[in-house]
Amino acid sequence: MVWYFAYGSNMQTATLCGRRGIQFHRAQPGLARGWRLVLDKPGLIPTSGSFANIVADPDVDVWGVLYQIAAAGIEHIDLTEGVLIGNYARIEVPVWPAGSDAPINAFTLTSGRREPDLQPSTRYMSLLIAGAEEHGLPSDWVAYLRSISTQPETAEATQARAFIDEALLRRK
């Protein structure tokens, strides 16, 4: 078993288990200290929307969901998130479970692919907010997620997502 720290749409159980096909044994809120959430990562297929990413920043923290998953699950996350082709890189970070003074090491994803002019879609941000609420992340974090500027999802992005979803279903 390994720990995986989700801070984007994978916080939502329906995304992690449904779209990604990853089953988990435990889930709990967690805090990655010294990391900042940014929503400026372009997708694998270029569309006008952006996705979640984290960057090192000693002055801020990122809330997310710690999932305990089978070791094979992290490899599947790598596959479905494009780690093997440079979309993200898998790293190990200390994450503090909510209410704990001791961190645990967890795998997460980060990317050097950034485009500051991009904004996430309203649909994508709704997944982050739903996952944060589902797992009881702090209300001020949920409020922060709600405050992020969004844009409507484009038809191009909807088509790209359908193409990717079909490819993911074939992998299950």
Side-chain angles (χ1 to χ4, degrees):
M1 301 302 280
V2 297
W3 287 99
Y4 166 62
F5 178 67
Y7 54 82
S9 62
N10 286 343
M11 289 191 296
Q12 184 191 43
T13 298
T15 300
L16 184 73
C17 296
R19 188 169 199 244
R20 301 264 177 247
I22 306 296
Q23 299 303 311
F24 63 90
H25 297 274
R26 290 180 57 197
Q28 60 188 335
L31 183 68
R33 295 181 176 151
W35 292 91
R36 178 170 41 102
L37 177 69
V38 292
L39 288 129
D40 61 1
K41 194 191 90 44
L44 272 171
I45 298 173
T47 61
S48 61
S50 64
F51 297 91
N53 188 16
I54 56 172
V55 295
D57 184 336
D59 298 326
V60 294
D61 304 322
V62 172
W63 279 98
V65 179
L66 274 166
Y67 287 106
Q68 188 178 43
I69 62 175
I74 198 70
E75 293 172 7
H76 191 70
I77 289 170
D78 286 353
L79 177 68
T80 62
E81 292 283 11
V83 170
L84 305 175
I85 59 172
N87 188 50
Y88 281 102
R90 182 191 342 155
I91 61 172
E92 193 170 11
V93 297
V95 180
W96 283 256
S100 174
D101 293 332
I104 59 174
N105 289 327
F107 291 111
T108 196
L109 304 177
T110 187
S111 178
R113 297 181 60 227
R114 299 181 62 200
E115 291 185 27
D117 294 336
L118 292 179
Q119 284 186 328
S121 71
T122 304
R123 184 202 70 79
Y124 181 74
M125 283 307 299
S126 71
L127 300 176
L128 274 68
I129 293 164
E133 290 177 333
E134 173 187 357
H135 293 285
L137 272 56
S139 59
D140 60 336
W141 185 256
V142 175
Y144 166 68
L145 294 176
R146 289 183 186 283
S147 75
I148 294 170
S149 295
T150 63
Q151 64 181 4
E153 183 173 73
T154 64
E156 178 184 41
T158 302
Q159 289 174 342
R161 186 168 30 85
F163 174 77
I164 291 169
D165 285 350
E166 185 178 324
L168 290 175
L169 286 174
R170 286 188 218 157
R171 288 271 190 211
K172 291 181 185 178

